[in-house]
């Protein structure tokens, strides 16, 4: 089995190679890191779709499609996402493994990705006005559509309130009030600055010759680099002085309860973090969990309930759909289940089921092209660089006392409740 390898190409660019022979395609991903910043987050959210709309050489979707067909149907994807207090802009291109073709195309594929990323379509010093206008409307629709998914909306609002004075509280989709202020020229100038100053990770996943790939990638991208910004590590320790309780009303049929906790665990203390991870699964990771069994099944207080962790801020959220009249009882019972966990009242069955669920999920990372790329970029971004196999080993070793230790400093920070009942 070939091992992953990371090579520093200089100027704030790292190349990670992930050999994988079971797919008939190769994937090249470019990850561009930015600090989550209220002043640029909306522009960053717009950029991926604009960049993949056209380039100097292929200025329209039709021309891009024709060229992609010439490259045996390569496909390009682009998006932006929030990871802790960073915003990551990602470009990906998937191509057929040369082993299944009559010609070598990887060099052409990289050249095409470089054309799209480093030579976007520019008219009179800015992006094409038509493309910018279209993507502005699309982004507005995406932001406005969040409110239609009340569960997601409640989680977003809980994060916004809990991290109000921290970068993690910034929405990675941006803000409606900022969209109309963005100009085609200003957005292009911002993109040029991003490409000059941001840390960049290139990840290649698939079946390839290592030396050949390193040469092609090293020479294939026309990045213009200047002073590279440093991405600071997010604060993960915070004492809660007062629990925030936010109640909002909306015309809905089912109330949405979200409880946010500060875990106060350093994710770089990996065994402690994965003990926290197992504990969160015991608490609310599925049908076997304490919350599901005791709050949903035994007491019939909710339609759904689950817990989730944010690694880089080591925060935990418990989300539930409830009737408004069950608010007080649900909050109380959730508190009781967490207290039970902190006291080590975890059965062998609960622990085994949680470990099995997590390990099964980890093993699926390699089941699809791209899973490993995103996983290992996240590891690199966090400065941990731990393999899936090593994480599974840690998960298997976690004991009840390890979970108790990991949860001992957890504190409830914010309760957010969205209801249609003014009395809730």
């Amino acid at each position: 089995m070939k091992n992953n390898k990371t090579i520093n190409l200089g100027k704030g660019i790292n190349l990670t190679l992930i050999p994988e022979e079971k797919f008939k395609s190769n994937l090249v991903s470019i990850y561009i890191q930015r600090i989550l910043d209220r002043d640029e987050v909306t522009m960053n959210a717009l950029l991926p779709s604009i960049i993949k709309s056209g380039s100097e050489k292929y200025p329209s979707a039709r021309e891009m499609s024709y060229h992609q067909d010439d490259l045996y149907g390569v496909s390009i994807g682009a998006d932006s996402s929030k990871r802790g207090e960073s915003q990551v802009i990602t470009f990906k291109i998937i191509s057929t493994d040369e082993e299944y073709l009559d010609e070598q195309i990887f060099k052409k594929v990289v050249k095409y990705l470089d054309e799209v990323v480093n030579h976007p379509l520019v008219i009179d010093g800015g992006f094409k006005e038509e493309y910018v206008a279209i993507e502005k409307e699309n982004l507005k629709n995406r932001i406005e559509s969040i409110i239609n998914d009340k569960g997601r909306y409640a989680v977003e609002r809980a994060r916004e309130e809990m991290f109000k004075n921290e970068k993690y509280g910034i929405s990675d989709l941006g803000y409606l009030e900022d969209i109309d202020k963005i100009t085609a020229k200003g957005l292009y100038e911002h993109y040029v600055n991003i490409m000059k100053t941001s840390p960049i990770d290139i990840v290649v996943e698939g079946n390839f010759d290592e030396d050949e790939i390193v040469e092609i990638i090293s020479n294939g991208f026309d990045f213009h680099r200047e002073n590279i910004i440093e991405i600071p590590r997010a604060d993960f320790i915070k004492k809660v002085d007062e629990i925030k309780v936010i109640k909002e009303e909306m015309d809905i049929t089912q109330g949405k309860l979200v409880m946010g906790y500060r875990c106060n665990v350093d994710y770089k203390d990996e065994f402690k973090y994965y003990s926290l991870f197992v504990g969160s699964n015991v608490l609310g990771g599925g049908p076997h969990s304490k919350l599901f069994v005791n709050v949903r099944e035994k007491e019939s207080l909710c339609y759904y309930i689950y817990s989730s962790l944010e690694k880089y801020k080591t925060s935990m959220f418990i989300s539930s759909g409830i009737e408004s009249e069950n608010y007080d009882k649900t909050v109380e019972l959730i508190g009781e289940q967490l207290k039970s966990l902190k006291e080590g009242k975890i059965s062998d069955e609960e622990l085994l089921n949680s470990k099995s669920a997590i390990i099964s999920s980890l093993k699926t990372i390699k089941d699809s092209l791209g899973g490993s790329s995103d996983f290992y970029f996240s590891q690199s971004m966090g400065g941990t660089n731990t393999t899936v196999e090593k994480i599974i080993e840690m998960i298997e070793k976690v004991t009840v006392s390890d979970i108790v230790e990991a949860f001992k400093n957890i504190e409830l920070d914010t309760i957010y409740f969205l209801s249609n009942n003014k009395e809730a």
Side-chain angles (χ1 to χ4, degrees):
M1 178 179 164
K2 296 179 182 177
N3 294 323
N4 300 346
K5 180 180 284 188
T6 297
I7 302 162
N8 189 322
L9 300 181
K11 298 180 181 179
I13 302 173
N14 285 320
L15 169 63
T16 297
L17 304 177
I18 305 175
E20 183 53 78
E21 297 179 357
K22 68 180 178 182
F23 302 117
K24 294 183 178 180
S25 301
N26 290 333
L27 171 68
V28 181
S29 305
I30 299 175
Y31 299 92
I32 302 159
Q33 288 187 62
R34 299 296 295 174
I35 299 167
L36 259 179
D37 185 328
R38 179 66 175 78
D39 292 336
E40 69 172 61
V41 67
T42 310
M43 288 190 287
N44 293 344
L46 267 176
L47 282 170
S49 51
I50 289 173
I51 296 303
K52 70 172 187 174
S53 294
S55 69
E56 280 182 9
K57 197 169 182 180
Y58 311 101
S60 69
R62 177 179 292 180
E63 286 165 288
M64 292 182 81
S65 179
Y66 285 156
H67 186 62
Q68 288 170 203
D69 287 343
D70 289 340
L71 294 174
Y72 297 88
V74 302
S75 60
I76 280 188
D79 66 15
S80 72
S81 61
K82 176 163 71 174
R83 305 192 189 209
E85 294 188 343
S86 295
Q87 187 175 19
V88 180
I89 297 170
T90 307
F91 299 101
K92 296 174 181 282
I93 190 164
I94 298 175
S95 61
T96 303
D97 183 355
E98 291 175 340
E99 187 176 311
Y100 302 95
L101 302 175
D102 295 329
E103 63 175 302
Q104 293 186 317
I105 65 163
F106 189 79
K107 193 170 185 178
K108 294 177 183 177
V109 169
V110 170
K111 183 178 180 182
Y112 176 53
L113 183 58
D114 175 66
E115 168 69 22
V116 173
V117 172
N118 286 319
H119 303 280
L121 179 61
V122 178
I123 299 172
D124 297 328
F127 290 123
K128 188 173 181 178
E129 295 277 2
E130 178 189 350
Y131 293 167
V132 173
I134 290 170
E135 296 308 331
K136 278 185 175 184
E137 284 304 310
N138 289 340
L139 183 58
K140 284 179 183 178
N141 292 336
R142 287 174 65 199
I143 294 172
E144 289 170 344
S145 71
I146 291 175
I147 204 166
N148 296 325
D149 182 344
K150 300 301 188 293
R152 180 184 176 191
Y153 173 79
V155 171
E156 291 294 324
R157 284 288 295 118
R159 283 186 180 139
E160 185 179 22
E161 292 291 342
M162 181 167 167
F163 300 99
K164 184 171 279 187
N165 299 313
E166 300 168 64
K167 291 185 183 299
Y168 187 61
I170 298 170
S171 168
D172 60 318
L173 281 182
Y175 297 88
L176 286 173
E177 61 266 30
D178 294 345
I179 293 177
D180 288 338
K181 303 173 191 173
I182 296 170
T183 65
K185 187 174 182 180
L187 187 61
Y188 172 65
E189 290 171 352
H190 175 64
Y191 182 66
V192 169
N193 179 61
I194 279 179
M195 298 307 292
K196 284 181 179 178
T197 62
S198 304
I200 293 175
D201 282 79
I202 303 171
V203 182
V204 182
E205 181 182 352
N207 183 27
F208 48 75
D209 178 83
E210 182 182 305
D211 293 337
E212 181 184 5
I213 291 297
V214 171
E215 181 181 357
I216 290 173
I217 296 293
S218 299
N219 299 318
F221 287 104
D222 187 24
F223 293 118
H224 298 280
R225 309 290 277 164
E226 292 183 356
N227 295 325
I228 310 304
I229 61 171
E230 182 178 343
I231 307 293
R233 190 176 174 196
D235 292 332
F236 55 89
I237 302 291
K238 185 173 182 181
K239 181 172 176 54
V240 179
D241 296 320
E242 182 180 0
I243 297 170
K244 296 188 282 289
V245 179
I246 296 98
K247 294 184 179 182
E248 294 182 344
E249 299 156 25
M250 196 176 285
D251 184 17
I252 55 176
T253 56
Q254 182 189 114
K256 304 297 180 185
L257 171 66
V258 183
M259 300 173 69
Y261 297 80
R262 305 271 184 173
C263 299
N264 296 308
V265 168
D266 183 352
Y267 69 82
K268 285 195 172 184
D269 183 349
E270 290 192 278
F271 186 71
K272 191 168 187 177
Y273 172 75
Y274 286 108
S275 298
L276 181 77
F277 197 85
V278 174
S280 174
N281 196 280
V282 170
L283 182 65
H288 62 274
S289 68
K290 289 183 177 293
L291 293 175
F292 190 93
V293 171
N294 296 297
V295 183
R296 185 184 186 276
E297 296 297 291
K298 287 184 180 178
E299 298 293 335
S300 299
L301 287 174
C302 57
Y303 300 95
Y304 66 85
I305 189 164
Y306 65 91
S307 63
S308 59
L309 283 181
E310 157 50 42
K311 178 177 180 178
Y312 301 107
K313 291 291 285 184
T314 51
S315 53
M316 182 178 76
F317 288 89
I318 294 174
S319 304
S320 182
I322 64 173
E323 296 295 338
S324 297
E325 60 266 24
N326 291 331
Y327 169 83
D328 289 328
K329 192 173 181 181
T330 305
V331 169
E332 180 183 359
L333 196 51
I334 288 171
E336 289 177 7
Q337 297 311 305
L338 179 57
K339 183 173 181 288
S340 171
L341 185 86
K342 291 175 73 175
E343 291 174 349
K345 296 174 182 176
I346 301 169
S347 70
D348 291 342
E349 185 179 9
E350 285 175 324
L351 186 59
L352 180 62
N353 286 340
S354 293
K355 287 183 177 183
S356 297
I358 293 169
I359 290 169
S360 294
S361 178
L362 285 166
K363 286 180 176 178
T364 65
I365 286 172
K366 295 186 176 182
D367 287 348
S368 60
L369 188 67
S372 291
S373 293
D374 284 342
F375 173 81
Y376 285 108
F377 165 69
S378 294
Q379 290 294 309
S380 174
M381 179 182 159
T384 46
N385 297 312
T386 307
T387 64
V388 171
E389 292 76 18
K390 180 64 175 175
I391 292 172
I392 289 174
E393 285 180 21
M394 286 189 277
I395 297 294
E396 289 173 335
K397 291 177 182 176
V398 171
T399 65
V400 171
S401 60
D402 294 326
I403 293 172
V404 171
E405 176 66 21
F407 271 80
K408 71 178 184 180
N409 293 319
I410 194 169
E411 291 187 281
L412 177 61
D413 183 292
T414 301
I415 300 174
Y416 174 85
F417 188 50
L418 180 66
S419 79
N420 61 354
N421 186 345
K422 294 184 180 180
E423 300 303 317

